[in-house]
Amino acid sequence: GNSVTQMEGPVTLSEEAFLTINCTYTATGYPSLFWYVQYPGEGLQLLLKATKADDKGSNKGFEATYRKETTSFHLEKGSVQVSDSAVYFCALIRNTGNQFYFGTGTSLTVIP
Amino acid sequence: DTAVSQTPKYLVTQMGNDKSIKCEQNLGHDTMYWYKQDSKKFLKIMFSYNNKELIINETVPNRFSPKSPDKAHLNLHINSLELGDSAVYFCASSWTGLNTEAFFGQGTRLTVV
């Protein structure tokens, strides 16, 4: 089947710390991979995506690389800010293209 | 101009009532979704429509009935509301295919009392 597993939170970091949120997936075929971010009281917004193996998605200082060999798509940021506090979701869409599969979400709190 | 808009944003209602949540997208997408997010932020797909046709219907009580009058709209009607229906409901839309992304509405926080 298709599924996404991401590290459980909550995660609390000090400002300027390095962030890694792990994500691994199981999928038939060759899925596209996504990271979405949900700020308090809002809907989900696309943060970055990658559509094929070895692609790197990047946005707002966040990066993730599509690793087919380890079926992973870990999210990283070199220096987090208080404004990065949110819930982060890893997701995939399989090659039939009609359903997104989301991980359970990881809550990040960045303290000054 | 909001891409995916859903109304209302907040809905407080008594057990046993019937309520509807409306969703509209102006992106021209061919696929629309309803997700339920519980208090732990877990997102569960409920329904998916492609060109007005139901293609995913996960295990949800049949008190929940989606209706898609056209490609731009997907409404969710809930009968005989129960306490356990309290959650945030998100509408989303996308194109079919791999090189796509889902656009989400702002959510409807439903509280059943």
Side-chain angles (χ1 to χ4, degrees):
Chain A
N2 301 283
S3 66
V4 176
T5 303
Q6 61 182 103
M7 65 184 278
E8 291 196 17
V11 174
T12 302
L13 293 173
S14 297
E15 209 165 19
E16 299 184 2
F18 185 85
L19 169 71
T20 299
I21 301 178
N22 290 338
C23 171
T24 56
Y25 67 90
T26 303
T28 52
Y30 302 97
S32 290
L33 303 174
F34 307 83
W35 277 100
Y36 278 83
V37 58
Q38 184 180 26
Y39 298 104
E42 298 185 11
L44 279 72
Q45 305 171 28
L46 179 69
L47 181 59
L48 52 85
K49 70 176 185 181
T51 57
K52 60 183 188 297
D54 300 325
D55 267 4
K56 178 187 280 189
S58 61
N59 186 24
K60 299 181 182 179
F62 291 89
E63 292 184 341
T65 301
Y66 189 141
R67 301 281 188 207
K68 186 167 174 290
E69 63 276 11
T70 54
T71 62
S72 65
F73 193 55
H74 304 322
L75 182 68
E76 296 182 337
K77 186 174 185 182
S79 175
V80 294
Q81 306 301 312
V82 171
S83 57
D84 294 326
S85 299
V87 180
Y88 293 81
F89 292 89
C90 186
L92 70 83
I93 189 167
R94 56 181 183 167
N95 54 5
T96 53
N98 279 128
Q99 185 174 351
F100 288 81
Y101 295 82
F102 285 88
T104 51
T106 301
S107 175
L108 170 68
T109 301
V110 180
I111 53 178
Chain B
D1 203 14
T2 305
V4 181
S5 59
Q6 51 181 113
T7 55
K9 188 166 182 179
Y10 299 98
L11 185 52
V12 181
T13 187
Q14 291 187 327
M15 276 197 308
N17 283 351
D18 302 339
K19 290 293 178 185
S20 292
I21 306 172
K22 295 186 176 182
C23 178
E24 175 181 4
Q25 55 97 1
N26 63 8
L27 299 166
H29 289 158
D30 59 0
T31 304
M32 295 185 72
Y33 313 83
W34 277 108
Y35 285 87
K36 179 180 180 181
Q37 186 175 48
D38 64 21
S39 59
K40 295 184 179 179
K41 302 295 186 182
F42 180 69
L43 269 174
K44 176 181 160 60
I45 181 77
M46 300 176 71
F47 303 103
S48 173
Y49 269 72
N50 180 257
N51 288 318
K52 291 171 44 179
E53 290 192 18
L54 180 66
I55 54 171
I56 292 171
N57 183 1
E58 292 294 317
T59 306
V60 298
N62 57 15
R63 299 181 293 103
F64 290 79
S65 53
K67 285 197 171 42
S68 183
D70 55 55
K71 277 173 49 174
H73 295 84
L74 180 62
N75 303 323
L76 183 65
H77 188 75
I78 316 169
N79 288 327
S80 303
L81 278 155
E82 300 177 357
L83 291 177
D85 297 333
S86 296
V88 181
Y89 292 84
F90 286 101
C91 178
S93 71
S94 74
W95 290 111
T96 303
L98 281 180
N99 194 13
T100 186
E101 64 180 90
F103 288 77
F104 282 78
Q106 291 287 77
T108 296
R109 181 174 292 278
L110 171 65
T111 303
V112 182
V113 298

